[in-house]
Amino acid sequence: MCLYLRHNLQNNVAVSKVINSLEGLRGKPFPSRNAILHAYCHFEAMTDQTYEYSCVSCGYHPHTVVMDLHRKGVFNLPVSEVAAASSTFN
């Protein structure tokens, strides 16, 4: 289920749409979308991530999972609050 959710999220399909589809296919209700999303986030947190991601603030390959588009705004952080890179960063 988590791998299925991952592939759908990577194709810009929201968790709620995936669950709606599965409920229609199976004919049975699933747990709340929020509970499924939290379970999926725990799955990703416990998974060994191999990705090529570089962040201006964190450097190369930070120990984070980027999920901005997956949740359509996991948190609200204005760009003005993001610390600028140091002058020695190249």
Side-chain angles (χ1 to χ4, degrees), residues 5 7 15 23 28 32-33 36 45-46 54 62 74:
L5 280 174
H7 287 286
V15 171
E23 284 180 337
K28 296 181 181 181
S32 74
R33 277 74 176 142
I36 291 174
M46 294 186 297
S54 177
V74 174

Side-chain angles (χ1 to χ4, degrees), residues 9-76:
L9 290 169
Q10 289 172 343
N11 286 295
N12 299 318
V13 180
V15 171
S16 60
K17 290 184 179 184
V18 174
I19 302 307
N20 288 343
S21 176
L22 289 172
E23 284 180 337
L25 180 67
R26 304 281 300 173
K28 296 181 181 181
F30 277 60
S32 74
R33 277 74 176 142
N34 201 31
I36 291 174
L37 178 63
H38 283 285
Y40 172 74
C41 288
H42 284 287
F43 164 77
E44 288 293 355
M46 294 186 297
T47 303
D48 183 25
Q49 301 292 331
T50 56
Y51 57 94
E52 302 295 323
Y53 174 73
S54 177
C55 175
V56 178
S57 300
C58 309
Y60 293 103
H61 312 296
H63 296 284
T64 59
V65 175
V66 177
M67 213 179 105
D68 63 342
L69 293 176
H70 296 180
R71 176 104 191 251
K72 309 254 190 299
V74 174
F75 58 90
N76 185 8

